[in-house]
Amino acid sequence: MKSISITLLCLLLSSLTIQLDGGAASIEDTCKGAAAASPVINYDFCVSTFLGNPKSGSADTRGLAKIAALTAINHAANIKIEITDLLKMSPDPEIKSALNQCFRLYDSMSFTLANAADAINAERDEAAKGFLKTGIQEAEDCAAAFEKAGKASPLTKGNRDSVELSTMSLAILDLIAKKPSDHDDMMIRAVLV
Amino acid sequence: MDYAPIPSSPSSRPPHRSLKLLSFSLAAILLTIVAVLNGRYRSGTSPEPVIHPTSPLSRGPSDGVSEKTSGLGLLRSPSSHFPWTNTMLQWQRTAFHFQPQKNWMNGFLPSSSSLFFLFSNRFYRSLMFCCLFVSLARISMDPDPNGPVFYKGWYHLFYQYNPDSAVWGNITWGHAVSRDLIHWRHLPLAMVADHWYDLNGVWTGSATILPDGNLIMLYTGSTNESVQVQNLAVPSDPSDPLLLKWIKSDANPVLLPPPGVGPKDFRDPTTAWYEEEAAAWRLAIGTKEDEGHSGIVLVYQTKDFLTYELLPGMLHAVAGTGMWECVDFYPVGTKAEDGGLDTSVTTGEKVKHVLKASMDDDRHDYYAIGTYDSETARWVPDDPEMDVGIGLRYDWGKFYASKTFYDTKSSRRVLWGWIGETDSEYADIQKGWASLQGIPRTVLLDVKTGSNLLQWPVEEVKSLRAGSQEFTNISVSSGSVVPLDVLNSAAQLDIEAEFEIDAASLAETLEADVGYNCSTSGGANRRGALGPFGLLVLADPKLSEQTAVYFYIAKKTDGGLQTHFCHDEMQSSCANDIYKRVVGSKVPVLDGETLTVRILVDHSIVESFAQGGRTCITSRVYPTEAIYNSARVFIFNNATGARVTAKSIKIWHMNSANIIDSRSPY
């Protein structure tokens, strides 16, 4: 009896695996939904972000939320390098100070967003959203550092992209909350991305 | 157009020796401060408190079914992050596998004036201190082996490399060389995304050596509009054995997705093979076809690698398997004395062809053995039920995006595979690196069974063996665990073990065990009549952590036996923010054979090869206790009705093969 139910379970699992194409989320639809949910999200930016990652093609909605978070981590690493270069060039101590604050913020953001990615994997969406919001705050604090110093920020676009990526992840998680049918796919997918 | 490599880290004059010593001791002091402050500050900014894991672990072999039987369910909900210490994370780094450079914990203090702000700013990150005097080296990850080749005395490995982050992105071609596939030197990046046709990524590709000894590289570029195209690159100086610089062809892209193929479904060109009849080269590219959700392989023919003809039809297709990435296609000899074969060997009854693909859907690498017909450019599997994507895998654990090459130096076919992490993203950022390459393996047809390949670590691995111990004829009674007195740390080992189960047990066992499956049948703690039994590696003396490598003999309804070979990772670590699974598969055991296994243990990676390499498993494990001098090896026998004898267990300690960072290799 036990072996029959195990066999049935295996068959069920393998049939779910084969139907994974039905589980792959449409990048266009997901980005449409995300862009509609937040003015911060630009449809074209969203689509090109996902197209830039080969795993997007077979990812379900949860997978896309995770990819957005991971892309934001990679972006944070790029910003840190950009800050390092800017620090070498800039003689102004106030700008240097703001840049250093931003460096620390983006460093912290890497961990914040890594926490978000892990929470998305574990289907702890409320926790994930909390981490993503913290990540957004960290980018905004970087912008504020320059405002406080009364200096033009060289990181405006970087901050904006960072906020956009984290917001994409947030918005996509909200989309999942509205789509219960993704649940079965999530069980399989959480492993694979 | 000439192409200059990008320096891999900001250059600076190397500091004086005494200054170096001073800075390292200062860094060490600061690291201690870091360790103390790190925990306090980090939990302060995250919305969730850090909880220590409290889940109980089964202990010993006498417990019943282990706590999690599903291969999938356990991955879903780590409650929070395990409080990983730097000591634990640093131990995870492997000693003799190819892995990316790492940095010092993801931080860099750009100028001394910032010190003031570090003390006063509430966003102080203690990590900043540790890097005061240490230059920034990039954190990185390195999936997908690319263009492996032996050229002018050197083994070359290129790989998908993100120089800036331990997550995927900014993909370039990293490059390393070796004389022996074991000792590597990092070289400058070979290619970066600097043309419109690879602006979104210099993705996977393969090398082809031409009859005149010259080398061409075909690789997938993701264009500025994320269309997947194939590009040609050649060494800018073919006389340079280190192949430092590469030229991308003016004709790029040389291949665009053909009609009917999606712009995101056209990647990873294979090494080309030469067809005498056609007096031309052929290569294969995987893609998919939506109607049947089939993975398919297209074949292109070319004389100059600049213009191509898409041959009609497909090399092969398998319905329901989805997109095929990293396709590989190569001949294997059918006689024991054949050894490896050059990719261009196509004809003859004495040759079979292996078709392999990485399944994008389930992230596993599958292969099948079959017959290739040059005339029709078709391949047919020997056994359609064991076709690509539905039958055998190279490796039943963590192993993907693999690729072979024909090693002209030693006349063998060598397999590389990408081994990702199975820990949290957080830990990857914390430790500053992710992913490594599996130990390179030779690939041969198993001439005894005819129906599977044999994979085995390359001979050169043995050069790392230092000091051996042999244990012989150890009887392991039912339900017992025997510690092996392994001298020194058991984190770097090469183990060869041979087991025998007594004939009486085999004959007496009446109950059939039809449904046994490594992933779903309860792991090493689920006791059957004739298994599980094997070894526990990376086990601490109290057995609170252990990675089980074992056999399970199931009796079939017809009275015959079916042996399974598995890894049980469920107790590999007390941490719960990592992926732990039970994985494995059946392994053919022929009459008269004893059960043999070779295991390579290298910190956070365990690779096993059963029955001479018929079934292989790779596990990534992240113990918290069974590390450094606390790691041990045990034999165990959880079978209820059988006495097992470990006829011979040889254990070698493995030296490290430190990778040299070399920007001036001469």
Side-chain angles (χ1 to χ4, degrees), chain B residues 452-482:
Chain B
N452 55 268
L453 295 173
L454 291 174
Q455 300 161 64
W456 198 250
V458 293
E459 270 306 289
E460 289 88 334
V461 168
K462 292 182 181 171
S463 70
L464 295 174
R465 289 175 169 177
S468 67
Q469 294 170 259
E470 184 167 6
F471 307 87
T472 54
N473 291 317
I474 302 179
S475 179
V476 192
S477 55
S478 163
S480 64
V481 176
V482 174

Side-chain angles (χ1 to χ4, degrees), chain B residues 358-372:
Chain B
S358 296
M359 299 295 119
D360 196 19
D361 281 357
D362 76 2
R363 314 301 283 179
H364 294 300
D365 282 4
Y366 290 83
Y367 75 88
I369 298 163
T371 309
Y372 170 62

Side-chain angles (χ1 to χ4, degrees), chain B residues 374-400:
Chain B
S374 284
E375 247 187 74
T376 55
R378 297 276 184 276
W379 174 91
V380 178
D382 286 348
D383 180 0
E385 293 195 9
M386 301 295 276
D387 209 340
V388 180
I390 61 175
L392 296 175
R393 298 180 194 167
Y394 272 144
D395 189 294
W396 297 87
K398 184 79 176 169
F399 189 90
Y400 196 65

Side-chain angles (χ1 to χ4, degrees), chain A residues 26 36 87 103 115 127 171:
Chain A
S26 148
L87 278 164
F103 188 94
N115 269 327

Side-chain angles (χ1 to χ4, degrees), chain A residues 77-156:
Chain A
N78 290 343
I79 297 292
K80 282 165 62 181
I81 290 166
E82 197 183 327
I83 293 174
T84 308
D85 292 339
L86 285 168
L87 278 164
K88 286 189 196 133
M89 296 181 328
S90 170
D92 184 321
E94 284 182 326
I95 291 184
K96 274 186 132 103
S97 154
L99 284 171
N100 281 324
Q101 286 177 64
C102 286
F103 188 94
R104 282 186 296 278
L105 287 162
Y106 274 93
D107 186 52
S108 170
M109 199 195 292
S110 307
F111 290 93
T112 307
L113 296 175
N115 269 327
D118 288 327
I120 294 171
N121 247 4
E123 294 181 36
R124 294 181 303 131
D125 288 0
E126 286 315 304
K129 290 180 195 175
F131 288 120
L132 289 165
K133 285 175 188 160
T134 302
I136 290 169
Q137 186 62 53
E138 284 166 328
E140 288 170 351
D141 286 349
C142 170
F146 277 91
E147 276 166 35
K148 216 162 102 179
K151 300 283 178 176
S153 170
L155 299 174
T156 305

Side-chain angles (χ1 to χ4, degrees), chain B residues 378-582:
Chain B
R378 297 276 184 276
W379 174 91
V380 178
D382 286 348
D383 180 0
E385 293 195 9
M386 301 295 276
D387 209 340
V388 180
I390 61 175
L392 296 175
R393 298 180 194 167
Y394 272 144
D395 189 294
W396 297 87
K398 184 79 176 169
F399 189 90
Y400 196 65
S402 61
K403 178 185 288 298
T404 65
F405 74 102
Y406 180 63
D407 170 3
T408 49
K409 174 181 163 196
S410 307
S411 302
R412 59 187 169 176
R413 183 155 292 272
V414 177
L415 171 69
W416 283 105
W418 162 45
I419 318 293
E421 300 296 311
T422 56
D423 62 357
S424 67
E425 301 290 347
Y426 190 93
D428 291 349
I429 302 290
Q430 222 181 328
K431 68 194 191 190
W433 67 276
S435 300
L436 49 129
Q437 300 292 324
I439 207 78
R441 311 171 179 184
T442 53
V443 177
L444 290 168
L445 179 69
D446 184 353
V447 298
K448 290 181 186 165
T449 63
S451 57
N452 55 268
L453 295 173
L454 291 174
Q455 300 161 64
W456 198 250
V458 293
E459 270 306 289
E460 289 88 334
V461 168
K462 292 182 181 171
S463 70
L464 295 174
R465 289 175 169 177
S468 67
Q469 294 170 259
E470 184 167 6
F471 307 87
T472 54
N473 291 317
I474 302 179
S475 179
V476 192
S477 55
S478 163
S480 64
V481 176
V482 174
L484 291 175
D485 191 16
V486 175
L487 308 166
N488 307 316
S489 163
Q492 293 172 213
L493 298 176
D494 187 351
I495 303 174
E496 285 182 3
E498 186 185 355
F499 293 95
E500 204 165 48
I501 197 164
D502 62 53
S505 315
L506 294 173
E508 276 161 21
T509 304
L510 297 172
E511 48 178 275
D513 212 341
V514 180
Y516 192 86
N517 181 300
C518 289
S519 311
T520 55
S521 297
N525 290 330
R526 193 272 212 155
R527 311 190 63 186
L530 303 173
F533 59 90
L535 293 172
L536 303 174
V537 297
L538 293 174
D540 61 312
K542 295 176 305 184
L543 287 174
S544 61
E545 291 182 337
Q546 60 195 122
T547 298
V549 176
Y550 61 95
F551 293 96
Y552 187 99
I553 303 175
K555 201 142 196 187
K556 300 191 283 191
T557 44
D558 64 3
L561 299 172
Q562 176 66 68
T563 309
H564 299 257
F565 177 65
C566 327
H567 278 190
D568 184 342
E569 303 165 358
M570 302 306 299
Q571 290 168 247
S572 59
S573 173
C574 300
N576 282 327
D577 62 345
I578 57 182
Y579 293 123
K580 292 181 276 192
R581 307 181 294 167
V582 185

